[in-house]
Each structure stands twice: as C-alpha cells, then as structure tokens.
C-alpha cells in the first residue's frame, strides 16, 4: 500500500511537471508573450497537452520510472528519463511535422529538454532530500567522519556506498592517495587531500573518527606501511579485504572489516587450485595423525571437502580429537569418519590401525613442537618425532599406502634445537624409506603458522589481555609466517605432486620481525606500544635462532608449476646406516643416558645441528 501510494504521488508530480514543461515551452517559443501565440495554437493547446500527458505517462511506466528506488537515483535513472522523453516528444514532433500541424515543431524540442530537466531534477532533489535531511541532519550526532585511504575504484565505490546508505551513519570526508596526479582532485565530490604520510595531519584537521584502507590490490607490505601511519592517529582503522569481495554483488560496507594480523603479514597469500590437486583424495581412505591439532584438524576439514571414502583421524589427546570429530560429523554426515585414540610411539597399535583401516594416503602431523620444552625433555622429542615417525612411516610401507606426507618445519634446516633436529631426522627417515618402498614418501617444510597451538600470536594476545608486558626474545629476531589454511593447502599440494623423496618448500616472502609483530598486535587491540602496553626483551631461549632458514645448502631448489611452491632436490639417505644409527639412539633413550650424551649423538645423525649452550 505504501509503495502504491508513493508511485501515485510520483505520477501526480510528473503530470504537474509535464504540464509546466508544456506551457513553458510555448512561452519560451513566443518570447514569454502569451498574447502573441496564434489563436489556432491556443485552441489546440489543451487537446495537445492531454495527448502529451497520456502518451508520456504511458511510456514512463515500461521504462520503470515509478519502480526505481529514487533515494538511489543516479545516471541510470537520468538516462531512462532522457530516453522516455525522447521517444514521446519525438513521436509528437513527427506527428505535427508530417501529419497534422497542431503546434510549432520547436515546441516539442523545447519540451523534451524541459522534461529531462524537470523530471530528472525532481528525482535528484528527492535523493538529496533523503540524504541531507533524513540522512545527515537527523543523525548528525551519530555520524562517523571517515577518511578513505586509496582514491581508486574501490575507494570511490566505498564512498558511494556510504552516500547511498546514510542509515549506516558514515560520512566520507576525504581521500588520501600516494598517486600525485590524484592529489588535489575530487572523487565523487570528495577531495583527495594528500598521501599516506599526511594521515595524522588530515585526521586532526578534518576531525576524522574512522579510517578505511581501500586498496584491495595492494601487497601486504604496503598495507603494513599504511596501517603503521594510521595507527598513530588513535582512530579506528578498518580495511577492505580483497577485490573478489568487492565484486560479488554484496553491499561493500558489510565487507569492511577490522584490520587483523593476517592483513599485516607483509607477504602474499598462497593460492592453489585445490580442485585440481586434491583429486587423488576422492574415494580414498585417508589417515591423519595428530588430527586434533591445529594443522591436523585443518587438514581433516579440507580433506573432507573432497569426498574421501573414509577419513581416519588419529590423535593421542581425546579432547581435541572429540572436537574435530563432532565438527566434521555435523558438517559431513554422509562421510565415514573414524576417530582413533592412539599413540604413534606404540608400533603394535600403529600396525593394528593400518591393518584395520588400510589407508591409501597418510598425512603425518603428529609431533612435539615446542622448542624450549623439547630442550629440557629431549628424550620425549626423540620418542615422538623420530621413533613415532619411524613407526607410522614403516606401517605405511608395510601396508602398501600409496603416499605418505610428513609435516616438517623450517626449524629442521641447520637446527639449533632438539625439536628442529628431530624433525630433520624425521625427514631423513622418509627419504631413506623412499629408496626401498613402493609408497611415495614426501615432506612439507614451512615456517610458523598463525594461530596454531603454542604459536607466538596466541601468547601475545594473552599477554595483551593481561595488560602486558608483551615478551619478545630479541629485538632482531625474525620468523616466516603463514596461515593455517595456507599451510594445509601446501600439504595437500605436496601429496598431489609427490614422486617420492622430495621436500616441498613454500616461498613465504619476507620474514617478519617479531618486535614489529608485537607492536602491531598491541595497536590492533586498541593500545599504544610502550605507553599502554610495555614490550619486554627477555633474551633468546635455549635452542632458538635469530632467523629461520627453509633450505639446506646441499639441497638446492627446483621450481614447480605453482609459482610460490618449490621442491628441494632429494638427498640420498642410506637406509641401513640410518637404521643402525637409530637403534643406537633408541638404546641411549631407554638406557638412562644423560641429556648431553643424547644431544651429542643426535649431532652425529644431523651434522648441521648446533647444540644450544
């Protein structure tokens, strides 16, 4: 009813405006002297007006001039008005020019121009009324004054969305852009007041409440630089996450989000075609060890999307195993999911699991990974990371699994920690086994994973929540970072590309300085480093490096078809020799050798291992 009433009011308004247009055309044609209009034309004016009004309203309806949401009126609506007016006035012009001369021909040329001005102008006035009176004036106290960083297509689109949706209480006040050509110009009527370095000055001068970074195509390193400038202003900082989210038909304002740490990584995310590379999982029995952990659980989530015949999730910790099992059974009720509580150290139990389930594909994610803990408990690191891997890998060989993918780490390269050394031995095990097995054994090596259990980011978050201080081991310490989904994509990629014996390595971009990461996380939480939350340098812990490496000197890198994924040259590992050395290591573990003796023997297996002092 409300819609019909509004459409009726628009029709009534158009009749009045069309009448004014019609009469004004006569006045303009005859120099505003009504008396000078020939009587023959005056006598036909009323008839011609009625014909004109009926024809025009009839044509306006199929052009949907009464169905448009006129509070959003723009160029499209003006074009519709122009076309509708041209058709109606053109038809009448042709009639009086070639069939029956009811009026001067110029009348309907003038009328056509006046129709567009009056009808189009009425729509624009309505839009301005909606925006100025109903939008801004009434909500003046709640309006957020917004500075948009990026005066390109995305910035222009977000500014327009704010104008079209005054109910969100955003008002775009200014743009900033590093493009010198754009500085001093206007975008959608909004001035470009400078570059990124001018953020603080513009925020103060224009009383900005919120900043939106609208450069979805920018590299994370650029976003990082912009955010550092914006964070100095104390304004709320938000970001448009990606170009794909701008063109999917949704309202852009709903896509604007708070800046998170992933936006500030300073590296490009890895994009791989999982549909192409994960076809080998469809219809197969897949086993994931450590399936309740951060990497293992994400592996299970992504594997489940590719329709395996059975997904066996193995973990020694029942709570995390229960969580991922419940999550996946709810999401994939048709999938055969088998939770298995087992310890990879127990060979007999591993043989039982393989005999019952006969997995085709094995992803080995179970491991001890906390560097300081493993320094003081090297026996446990070796039992789990070395002999646990030995057990699972040998079962894969014995029960003829097609592929075995080991989750490794950059800490295995020139290790300075027991944990890193044990992961290097695990790599050696699968490379040695690959020389004698029909199973394709590969490893995947990557850096730190954002948000994984025990990683630095949850630690920083907890310290910030407690009011600080945030502890950093060394002002120059750096690490490579990736997201959990990225890490898992690389693992699945490795399984698809495996030929046997390779170690797959991700081009992780530039390493991130942990001190900078701490500062950004404090700012993201709404505080200022050293003022609200202190940062304390506590010194490197035993086994920690200043920086991580992804490649041994002798390995070399070969490109793959994916531009951010490389493969290290397979190294020949003598299986029989490694087996004898591991038997000696096992004796030392289980015969009460001291910690120093154990570490010294690990160094024999891994000559690049530097024992922490």
């Amino acid at each position: 009813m409300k819609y019909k009433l509004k459409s009726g009011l628009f029709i009534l308004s158009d009749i009045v405006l069309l009448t004014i247009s019609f009469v004004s055309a006569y006045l303009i044609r005859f120099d505003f002297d009504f008396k000078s209009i020939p009587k023959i034309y005056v006598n036909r004016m009323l008839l011609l007006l009625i014909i004109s009004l009926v024809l025009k309203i009839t044509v306006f309806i199929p052009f949907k001039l009464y169905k448009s949401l006129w509070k959003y009126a723009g160029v499209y609506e003006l074009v519709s008005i122009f076309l509708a007016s041209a058709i109606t006035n053109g038809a009448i012009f042709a009639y009086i020019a070639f069939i029956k001369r009811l009026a001067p021909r110029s009348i309907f040329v003038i009328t056509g121009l006046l129709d567009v001005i009056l009808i189009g102008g009425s729509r624009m006035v309505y839009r301005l009324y909606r925006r100025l009176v109903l939008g801004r004036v009434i909500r003046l106290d709640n309006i957020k004054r917004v500075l948009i960083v990026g005066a390109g297509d995305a910035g222009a689109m977000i500014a327009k969305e704010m104008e079209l949706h005054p109910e969100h209480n955003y008002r775009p006040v200014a743009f900033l852009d590093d493009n010198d050509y754009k500085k001093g110009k206007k975008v959608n009527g909004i001035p470009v007041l400078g570059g990124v370095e001018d953020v603080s000055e513009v925020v103060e001068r224009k009383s900005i409440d919120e900043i939106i970074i609208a450069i979805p195509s920018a590299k994370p390193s650029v976003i990082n630089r912009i955010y550092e400038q914006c964070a100095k202003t104390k304004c709320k900082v938000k970001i448009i996450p990606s170009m794909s989210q701008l063109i999917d038909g949704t309202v852009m304002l709903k896509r604007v989000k708070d800046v998170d740490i992933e936006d500030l990584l300073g590296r490009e995310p890895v994009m791989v075609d999982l549909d192409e590379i994960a076809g080998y999982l469809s219809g197969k029995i897949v086993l994931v060890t450590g399936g309740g952990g951060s990497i293992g659980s994400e592996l299970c989530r992504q594997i489940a999307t590719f329709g395996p015949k059975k997904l066996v999730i193995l973990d020694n910790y029942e709570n995390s195993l229960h969580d991922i099992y419940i999550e996946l059974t709810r999401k994939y009720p048709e999938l055969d999911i088998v939770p298995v509580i087992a310890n990879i150290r127990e060979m007999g139990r591993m043989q039982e699991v393989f005999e019952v389930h006969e997995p085709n594909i094995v992803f080995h994610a179970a491991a001890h990974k906390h560097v300081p803990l493993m320094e003081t408990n090297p026996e446990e690191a070796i039992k789990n990371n070395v002999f646990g891997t030995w057990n699972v890998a040998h079962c894969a060989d014995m029960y003829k699994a097609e592929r075995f993918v080991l989750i490794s780490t950059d800490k295995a390269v020139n290790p300075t920690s027991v944990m890193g050394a044990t992961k290097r031995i695990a790599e050696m095990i699968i490379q040695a086994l690959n020389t004698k097995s029909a199973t394709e054994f590969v490893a995947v090596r990557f850096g730190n994973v954002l948000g994984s259990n025990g990683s630095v980011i949850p630690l920083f978050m907890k310290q910030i929540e407690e009011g600080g201080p945030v502890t950093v081991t060394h002002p120059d310490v750096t690490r490579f970072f990736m997201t959990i989904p990225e890490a898992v994509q690389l693992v699945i990629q490795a399984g698809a590309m495996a030929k046997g014996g390779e170690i797959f390595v991700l081009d992780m971009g530039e390493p991130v300085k942990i001190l900078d990461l701490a500062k950004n996380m404090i700012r993201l939480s709404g505080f200022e480093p050293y003022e609200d939350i202190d940062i304390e340098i506590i010194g490197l812990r035993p086994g920690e490096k200043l920086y991580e490496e992804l490649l041994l000197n002798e390995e070399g890198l070969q490109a793959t078809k994916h531009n951010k994924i490389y493969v290290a040259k397979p190294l020949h590992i003598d299986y029989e020799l490694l087996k004898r050395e591991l038997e000696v290591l096992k004796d030392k573990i289980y015969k009460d050798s001291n910690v120093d003796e154990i570490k010294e023997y690990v160094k024999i297996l891994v000559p690049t291992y530097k024992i922490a002092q």
Side-chain angles (χ1 to χ4, degrees):
M1 182 63 71
K2 184 178 179 181
Y3 169 75
K4 288 183 178 180
L5 177 61
K6 188 174 290 187
S7 295
L9 289 174
F10 270 119
I11 293 173
L12 182 60
S13 169
D14 284 353
I15 290 172
V16 172
L17 292 173
L18 291 171
T19 301
I20 293 172
S21 171
F22 181 84
V23 173
S24 298
Y26 275 88
L27 291 174
I28 293 170
R29 169 64 179 77
F30 291 99
D31 299 323
F32 294 93
D33 183 3
F34 192 80
K35 293 180 180 179
S36 66
I37 301 175
K39 191 172 183 181
I40 188 173
Y41 293 152
V42 173
N43 294 338
R44 295 170 177 173
M45 279 180 65
L46 181 59
L47 174 63
L48 199 55
L49 173 62
I50 294 171
I51 294 172
S52 175
L53 289 175
V54 172
L55 182 60
K56 289 178 180 180
I57 297 299
T58 303
V59 172
F60 282 8
I61 290 173
F63 271 84
K64 300 181 179 179
L65 297 190
Y66 305 113
K67 287 190 176 180
S68 288
L69 298 174
W70 288 105
K71 63 180 177 180
Y72 304 139
V75 174
Y76 174 82
E77 285 74 19
L78 287 177
V79 169
S80 295
I81 291 169
F82 176 81
L83 291 175
S85 178
I87 290 170
T88 53
N89 287 295
I92 298 172
F93 175 88
Y95 181 81
I96 64 175
F98 302 108
I99 298 175
K100 192 171 184 179
R101 193 176 179 87
L102 300 175
R105 286 169 293 185
S106 59
I107 289 294
F108 284 92
V109 175
I110 300 170
T111 303
L113 294 174
L114 293 175
D115 286 351
V116 173
I117 293 170
L118 293 176
I119 302 298
S122 69
R123 268 53 171 181
M124 294 301 106
V125 168
Y126 178 71
R127 177 182 171 181
L128 287 172
Y129 167 78
R130 292 276 311 182
R131 187 179 303 168
L132 294 174
V133 178
L134 301 182
R136 291 181 180 174
V137 176
I138 294 174
R139 297 182 177 89
L140 191 59
D141 293 339
N142 298 323
I143 286 291
K144 293 178 182 176
R145 295 172 61 83
V146 178
L147 171 65
I148 301 173
V149 180
D153 291 341
M157 290 168 67
I158 200 73
K160 185 176 181 180
E161 288 291 335
M162 291 178 184
E163 296 284 351
L164 294 178
H165 293 275
E167 67 274 12
H168 291 301
N169 295 338
Y170 284 110
R171 181 184 176 186
V173 173
F175 283 102
L176 292 179
D177 200 293
D178 284 339
N179 186 331
D180 290 335
Y181 174 76
K182 295 178 181 178
K183 294 176 183 177
K185 308 248 180 348
K186 289 188 176 183
V187 176
N188 287 351
I190 301 164
V192 182
L193 296 181
V196 173
E197 72 280 357
D198 300 310
V199 165
S200 297
E201 186 268 328
V202 172
V203 163
E204 184 175 355
R205 178 156 57 94
K206 293 294 184 178
S207 302
I208 299 298
D209 300 307
E210 198 164 292
I211 302 171
I212 295 178
I213 302 172
I215 318 176
S217 59
K219 294 182 178 180
S221 56
V222 175
I223 297 297
N224 207 339
R225 178 179 67 85
I226 294 171
Y227 178 77
E228 286 180 3
Q229 294 294 323
C230 295
K232 296 175 184 177
T233 65
K234 309 287 187 179
C235 287
K236 181 76 173 175
V237 183
K238 293 188 175 183
I239 192 168
I240 297 174
S242 68
M243 187 59 74
S244 62
Q245 290 176 313
L246 297 181
I247 60 176
D248 62 0
T250 58
V251 177
M252 281 180 21
L253 282 175
K254 294 182 179 179
R255 293 294 190 178
V256 173
K257 68 182 186 71
D258 292 338
V259 179
D260 58 37
I261 200 62
E262 291 181 24
D263 296 312
L264 307 178
L265 270 179
R267 55 178 296 274
E268 298 285 351
V270 175
M271 302 300 293
V272 293
D273 188 347
L274 289 179
D275 289 330
E276 175 192 349
I277 66 177
Y280 71 102
L281 298 174
S282 179
K284 298 297 178 69
I285 300 171
V286 183
L287 167 65
V288 180
T289 71
S294 49
I295 296 294
S297 60
E298 181 63 21
L299 262 170
C300 292
R301 290 184 190 99
Q302 293 198 22
I303 290 167
T305 65
F306 296 105
K309 181 179 180 181
K310 182 195 293 185
L311 177 58
V312 182
I313 310 175
L314 185 148
D315 204 291
N316 195 39
Y317 182 50
E318 63 172 318
N319 290 343
S320 59
L321 177 61
H322 177 265
D323 290 344
I324 188 63
Y325 173 68
I326 294 298
E327 176 188 333
L328 292 182
T329 50
R330 285 177 178 171
K331 193 170 183 180
Y332 304 98
E334 74 290 347
L335 180 60
D336 185 6
I337 304 174
V338 181
V340 175
I341 297 177
N343 193 326
I344 61 172
R345 301 180 186 186
E346 299 172 5
M347 184 59 164
R349 179 68 172 128
M350 289 300 99
Q351 287 178 311
E352 180 184 321
V353 170
F354 274 79
E355 187 172 347
V356 170
H357 299 291
E358 299 181 317
N360 306 114
I361 313 291
V362 179
F363 292 96
H364 181 45
H368 285 325
K369 63 180 183 179
H370 294 282
V371 170
L373 286 178
M374 295 306 103
E375 285 302 304
T376 54
N377 298 276
E379 307 96 324
E380 296 305 307
I382 293 166
K383 288 175 186 177
N384 207 60
N385 296 358
V386 175
F387 295 111
T389 298
W390 177 274
N391 293 341
V392 180
H394 272 80
C395 285
D397 174 45
M398 291 165 54
Y399 290 91
K400 303 187 185 320
E402 297 170 15
R403 294 175 189 175
F404 180 100
V405 182
L406 167 70
I407 311 300
S408 191
T409 170
D410 54 4
K411 293 176 175 62
V413 181
N414 300 322
T416 58
S417 65
V418 169
M419 193 282 283
T422 59
K423 294 300 284 185
R424 175 59 194 146
I425 297 173
E427 291 179 352
M428 294 164 64
I429 289 170
I430 65 105
Q431 288 185 314
L433 264 174
N434 190 73
T435 63
K436 63 177 286 294
S437 174
T439 302
E440 294 168 333
F441 287 91
V442 297
V444 185
R445 189 186 287 164
F446 46 77
N448 296 273
V449 178
L450 283 174
S452 64
N453 296 329
S455 70
V456 69
I457 288 174
L459 172 62
F460 284 172
M461 288 176 64
K462 188 174 187 337
Q463 291 174 334
I464 292 168
E465 287 172 2
E466 293 173 352
V470 172
T471 57
V472 176
T473 57
H474 191 284
D476 297 323
V477 69
T478 62
R479 291 292 182 265
F480 294 105
F481 281 98
M482 67 191 313
T483 65
I484 291 176
E486 283 180 300
V488 168
Q489 287 172 16
L490 178 60
V491 172
I492 296 176
Q493 174 78 74
M497 300 171 68
K499 294 179 181 176
E502 305 99 330
I503 295 177
F504 288 88
V505 179
L506 173 65
D507 175 5
M508 299 185 69
E510 295 299 317
V512 176
K513 208 168 187 178
I514 299 300
L515 182 59
D516 292 340
L517 182 70
K519 291 176 183 177
N520 281 331
M521 289 195 64
I522 291 170
R523 293 188 183 108
L524 287 172
S525 301
F527 303 107
E528 189 62 29
Y530 302 111
E531 294 180 13
D532 305 312
I533 303 286
D534 198 16
I535 298 176
E536 183 179 330
I537 306 298
I538 61 173
L540 289 172
R541 296 174 296 182
E544 278 194 319
K545 294 181 181 181
L546 269 180
Y547 60 92
E548 301 290 2
E549 305 158 272
L550 290 168
L551 199 67
L552 295 171
N553 289 334
E554 66 271 23
E555 287 177 323
L557 275 185
Q558 298 173 357
T560 69
K561 62 182 179 180
H562 296 276
N563 63 351
K564 288 191 175 291
I565 298 174
Y566 298 86
V567 59
K569 181 175 63 180
L571 300 178
H572 177 73
I573 307 293
D574 187 299
Y575 174 78
E576 293 299 333
L577 176 60
L578 180 62
K579 182 178 179 182
R580 289 194 298 271
E581 290 174 333
L582 290 179
E583 286 172 353
V584 174
L585 181 60
K586 183 179 286 187
D587 285 341
K588 291 185 177 294
I589 291 294
Y590 288 100
K591 290 183 179 177
D592 299 324
S593 296
N594 64 47
V595 169
D596 291 336
E597 287 181 8
I598 292 171
K599 289 183 178 180
E600 287 295 339
Y601 194 76
V602 168
K603 185 170 176 58
I604 294 174
L605 273 76
V606 185
T608 57
Y609 169 39
K610 297 176 184 177
I611 300 174
Q613 301 300 319

